[in-house]
Amino acid sequence: MSSGRSSRKKKDAAVAANKRPPAAASPPQRQTQRRRQSAKEPEIQDIEDLFFSEEEAQRIRQALLEWYGLNRRELPWREAEEDVERRAYRVWVSEVMLQQTRVQTVVQYFHRWMSKWPTIHHLAQASLEEVNELWAGLGYYRRARFLLEGARMIVAEEVQFPKTVSQLRKVRGIGDYTAGAIASIAFKEVVPVVDGNVVRVIARLKAVSANPKDSSTVKKFWKLAAQLVDPFQPGEFNQALMELGATVCTPLSPSCHSCPVSIQCCALSISRADSSVLVTDYPVKVVKAKQRHDFSAVCVVQILGDEELSEGHRTNNGFLLVKRPDEGLLAGLWEFPSVLLAGEADLVTRRKAIDQYLNKHFRLNPRNTCDIVSREYVGENIHVFTHIRLKMYVELLVLHLKGGMKDLVSKQGKETVPWKCVDAEVLSSMGLTSGVRKVYTMVQKFKRETVAL
């Protein structure tokens, strides 16, 4: 069966499922249904025609809330908190952390965050560097910056924590989903939330065969979610709906036998009536955009000064780190000096690019300002972002400054980027991004193996 015919078949089945109470058809009935379909093709139901009746919504609310009360996971941001504004802050932090990140990973970060900044006022006093260091490893660092900027904005206005979706949407970095979560969970506003889990649950409940990424389809999901929200327990219901998607109605292996709303599920009804259609066919799979392939020359620069201990170890030395621009990918984070390349490049080309970078920004020139103690190619590593596949060529460059570390400071010019020099102990304890950590781990391993030889 071609993909076009398969898609049409799912749509036709969805029409039938949404027009009758979900129930498994007997074999004779299935044969009759197929004969009718071959004789006359039913009209394809548009997503705009889908809705939850009040009776249907009430049944789903009751079943889902009962299930959630018995099966909810114990998570730190769900703990009882009498101070409603503090609860709102905890919900905000947790929801931002949970975007694109697994729950198990978030738990430890959430505990550390709340220990360091227990209230929005504590967070507002933090620096971006402190926030980035604690966030290191969670990825999508713009989320951390928006949290800090939003906290500063709320505190600076000297008003109460925003309580409604319309108020929350005015805060830097808070979108429709986060606003809905905070407003419903902390302040009991009767508003929906729509994330990937909610889209999946609703797409299966209504057998939605439209592209879930299309803007008009997304708006319809919000309308359908709004029809379901429990008017008395909006926060509990929204959490229940997301919990169902995360633990039962999963992308690849849904546990339909233990689903509290399986009776209302059109996708399950269709699947039982037609073995060629699976519950996991909903929502429709969207082809992901092809990742961009980037290439980078990364140079771990270790600078040695003149001061030495009797054992021969230098005390005035460290690793050079540069700060990324305040806008764009990994904004404001620390990394080793690196240069983006036009594509695959040989060693000579890469070293020429790095040398130009170091001379331009730090006036580090082996002929005049420093001596090369050693320069070794360490290896390559692939680091994957959501939309970028970055191939990093890593080398270790050990330099001896003729004028010591002070010489590096004195030679700063207009082209100098923000930088700092840290020793190995500090570097190991810094909150580095996973990509920078990979590079440093490669260098450490390379050094150990070189010494062993």
Side-chain angles (χ1 to χ4, degrees), residues 238-371:
N238 284 337
Q239 290 181 91
L241 195 58
M242 292 187 286
E243 187 86 341
L244 184 72
T247 62
V248 175
C249 194
T250 57
L252 301 178
S253 303
S255 302
C256 299
H257 63 282
S258 59
C259 177
V261 292
S262 60
I263 295 176
Q264 287 82 22
C265 184
C266 290
L268 180 60
S269 175
I270 293 168
S271 179
R272 286 172 173 170
D274 186 342
S275 60
S276 69
V277 179
L278 304 175
V279 170
T280 52
D281 288 339
Y282 303 93
V284 173
K285 307 298 185 296
V286 179
V287 178
K288 293 184 179 180
K290 189 175 181 180
Q291 282 185 328
R292 190 178 82 211
H293 287 232
D294 283 355
F295 303 86
S296 174
V298 181
C299 187
V300 178
V301 180
Q302 185 174 8
I303 298 175
L304 306 180
D306 290 326
E307 300 174 21
E308 297 183 9
L309 296 176
S310 58
E311 296 91 330
H313 298 294
R314 301 177 187 268
T315 58
N316 185 17
N317 69 81
F319 292 92
L320 181 63
L321 296 177
V322 295
K323 194 174 186 181
R324 291 184 62 86
D326 291 331
E327 297 295 332
L329 184 68
L330 305 176
L333 298 173
W334 294 98
E335 65 179 8
F336 296 111
S338 62
V339 178
L340 276 176
L341 305 168
E344 297 274 8
D346 59 25
L347 183 61
V348 173
T349 303
R350 299 196 305 264
R351 286 188 171 177
K352 182 179 179 181
I354 284 293
D355 289 346
Q356 289 175 343
Y357 176 90
L358 293 176
N359 188 38
K360 175 182 178 180
H361 295 294
F362 300 98
R363 297 184 182 177
L364 289 175
N365 189 322
R367 295 180 180 177
N368 303 313
T369 62
C370 60
D371 295 321

Side-chain angles (χ1 to χ4, degrees), residues 379-392:
E380 60 185 53
N381 189 277
I382 303 295
H383 188 65
V384 179
F385 299 92
T386 306
H387 57 291
I388 299 172
R389 185 178 186 272
L390 178 64
K391 185 174 185 178
M392 300 181 290

Side-chain angles (χ1 to χ4, degrees), residues 41-77:
E41 210 172 69
E43 181 184 356
I44 295 176
Q45 189 176 22
D46 193 278
I47 187 174
E48 290 298 325
D49 298 327
L50 298 176
F51 68 94
F52 290 102
S53 68
E54 182 54 38
E55 181 182 359
E56 185 180 13
Q58 185 55 41
R59 289 177 179 173
I60 291 174
R61 291 169 193 156
Q62 182 178 349
L64 205 49
L65 286 170
E66 288 179 0
W67 170 84
Y68 183 63
L70 296 172
N71 297 279
R72 59 182 287 174
R73 289 171 292 180
E74 295 300 321
L75 300 170
W77 47 88

Side-chain angles (χ1 to χ4, degrees), residues 52-54 56-61 64 190 192 198 201-202 205-206 221-231 237-238 241:
F52 290 102
S53 68
E54 182 54 38
E56 185 180 13
Q58 185 55 41
R59 289 177 179 173
I60 291 174
R61 291 169 193 156
L64 205 49
V190 184
V198 173
V201 172
I202 292 179
L205 282 173
K206 283 298 178 184
F221 276 121
W222 277 93
K223 290 180 181 179
L224 290 170
Q227 294 168 8
L228 287 178
V229 181
D230 188 274
F237 179 82
N238 284 337
L241 195 58

Side-chain angles (χ1 to χ4, degrees), residues 3 6 68 178 189 193 196 212 221 233 242 271 276 381 419-420 424:
S3 59
S6 177
Y68 183 63
T178 307
E189 184 181 8
V193 295
F221 276 121
Q233 302 180 74
M242 292 187 286
S271 179
S276 69
N381 189 277
W419 65 277
K420 61 182 176 181

